[in-house]
Amino acid sequence: MHSFFDWLAMGGYAQYVWSAYGLAAAVLVFNVLALKKQKKLVRSKLQHWFKG
Amino acid sequence: MWKLLYQLASPKSFYSLSGRVTPWLSVCALVSLVLAMVWGLVFAPADYQQGEAFRIIYIHVPAAFLSMALYAWMGFLAILLLVWRIKIAGMMLHSMAQLGLAMTFLALVTGSIWGKPMWGAWWVWDARLTSELVLFLLYAAILATYQAVKNKDDGDRIIAILILVGVIDLPIIHYSVYWWNTLHQGATLSVFAKPKIAASMLYPLLLSLLGFFLYSIWIILERARSEVLLRERKQAWVKELFESK
């Protein structure tokens, strides 16, 4: 437990390291979500187009 | 190999071929990224000068690398569109630019976060930083221009020209650390020379690079597939796909 918190502290650089990794995770996840949204949108657009 | 390339030029073949590859890509990307992050955050040794802060490298370098690699690939596809009129190449440009913007943004911001404790500044008008910022603006210009054009085929052609105009920025970014007296450090990795970084720090970096690459290819292929369906909706093969649903 003790060394886990040491690891979290990143030798005093925690705010820098974790904000960088957090931002990276956010960007990667955002792009996946945007992709899913786009796929859904295209799918529904085309289904509508073929039905109508 | 040429047969495969000719097949990829056909939207229908591109759609089915890429469909076979994307599930594998997403799994491999996820595994590589997770492994690389754990390796880089936990197992790689701390730097004697920078301490734990150097671990930002495992995000910053892949993002920067991708920001340039994506643009280079866009340049190649732009030529395929403009010279050989390969439409599928044009269809991919916009999706690539979107991801390229994200990667450039990530590279700039993580670089800034890294720079504050190490250099004492969030930003300097250093040659590499400035030319990377120019790349960000190029991506933004490409996306803005595409949105402004009503016809998507025209949009592809216009951004293809814009992309080729901006390609000059890539060698500037790459060689900036040689041509100018920069604060940003020189190249650590080279095709020709031994890496200037310890193996225990290098391997997670290479794995992270791989993860980012696989992720990017996956995102782009998936986006391209959606775009192909939309653009080719008048073709029989698209109709069949939706008829069978």
Side-chain angles (χ1 to χ4, degrees):
Chain A
M1 258 293 102
H2 175 72
S3 67
F4 173 71
F5 287 112
D6 284 342
W7 173 77
L8 265 183
M10 283 286 157
Y13 294 114
Q15 52 192 301
Y16 302 104
V17 177
W18 295 119
S19 57
Y21 275 77
L23 182 68
V27 167
L28 296 182
V29 167
F30 173 79
N31 273 284
V32 175
L33 295 177
L35 170 70
K36 299 237 178 280
K37 192 171 164 209
Q38 189 215 15
K39 279 176 80 170
K40 218 171 132 189
L41 192 68
V42 168
R43 202 124 287 218
S44 68
K45 247 187 183 176
L46 286 176
Q47 255 156 9
H48 201 75
W49 195 77
F50 282 115
K51 294 290 159 38
Chain B
M1 193 196 91
W2 292 115
K3 182 168 177 236
L4 178 67
L5 290 177
Y6 279 126
Q7 282 181 319
L8 286 173
S10 136
K12 181 181 172 187
S13 304
F14 172 81
Y15 187 80
S16 60
L17 284 170
S18 58
R20 298 214 292 235
V21 160
T22 50
W24 295 105
L25 274 175
S26 61
V27 168
C28 290
L30 183 64
V31 168
S32 314
L33 284 172
V34 169
L35 280 177
M37 295 307 128
V38 169
W39 195 346
L41 281 169
V42 181
F43 298 106
D47 186 69
Y48 93 99
Q49 238 176 1
Q50 299 193 29
E52 311 287 344
F54 97 99
R55 297 184 195 280
I56 297 175
I57 199 177
Y58 300 114
I59 305 290
H60 176 72
V61 168
F65 205 91
L66 255 312
S67 75
M68 298 205 292
L70 285 172
Y71 199 94
W73 192 248
M74 281 161 61
F76 172 67
L77 290 178
I79 292 172
L80 285 185
L81 175 69
L82 294 173
V83 177
W84 285 283
R85 305 184 181 282
I86 296 171
K87 294 189 80 185
I88 184 80
M91 291 184 203
M92 291 174 70
L93 292 177
H94 181 240
S95 341
M96 292 190 71
Q98 287 175 317
L99 191 64
L101 185 80
M103 290 294 171
T104 316
F105 171 77
L106 196 57
L108 286 168
V109 178
T110 54
S112 178
I113 293 172
W114 196 356
K116 182 59 181 165
M118 293 303 137
W119 296 340
W122 295 107
W123 183 261
V124 289
W125 291 104
D126 161 279
R128 174 159 280 188
L129 274 70
T130 305
S131 46
E132 181 77 3
L133 181 64
V134 167
L135 186 65
F136 180 82
L137 295 173
L138 280 169
Y139 275 121
I142 289 163
L143 291 172
T145 306
Y146 185 83
Q147 298 288 9
V149 181
K150 199 152 184 244
N151 182 315
K152 280 194 174 179
D153 287 325
D154 290 339
D156 289 347
R157 292 183 65 84
I158 287 172
I159 64 173
I161 294 166
L162 201 53
I163 288 163
L164 289 174
V165 167
V167 153
I168 189 72
D169 195 29
L170 292 184
I172 293 174
I173 297 171
H174 181 70
Y175 288 109
S176 58
V177 291
Y178 297 114
W179 294 343
W180 287 283
N181 190 15
T182 62
L183 183 55
H184 191 286
Q185 67 172 85
T188 316
L189 303 175
S190 161
V191 180
F192 305 110
K194 262 177 64 172
K196 297 181 186 122
I197 183 176
S200 54
M201 294 176 173
L202 174 65
Y203 296 142
L205 182 59
L206 294 176
L207 189 59
S208 180
L209 263 166
L210 177 69
F212 267 78
F213 252 107
L214 294 175
Y215 170 90
S216 300
I217 295 170
W218 172 63
I219 293 271
I220 287 160
L221 285 182
E222 286 278 27
R223 287 206 184 138
R225 296 180 83 233
S226 276
E227 190 65 28
V228 161
L229 283 181
L230 207 51
R231 303 254 198 133
E232 300 287 300
R233 63 186 178 274
K234 295 194 179 129
Q235 303 296 324
W237 68 272
V238 181
K239 190 161 186 243
E240 271 167 39
L241 270 175
F242 279 83
E243 227 88 289
S244 62
K245 288 216 187 303

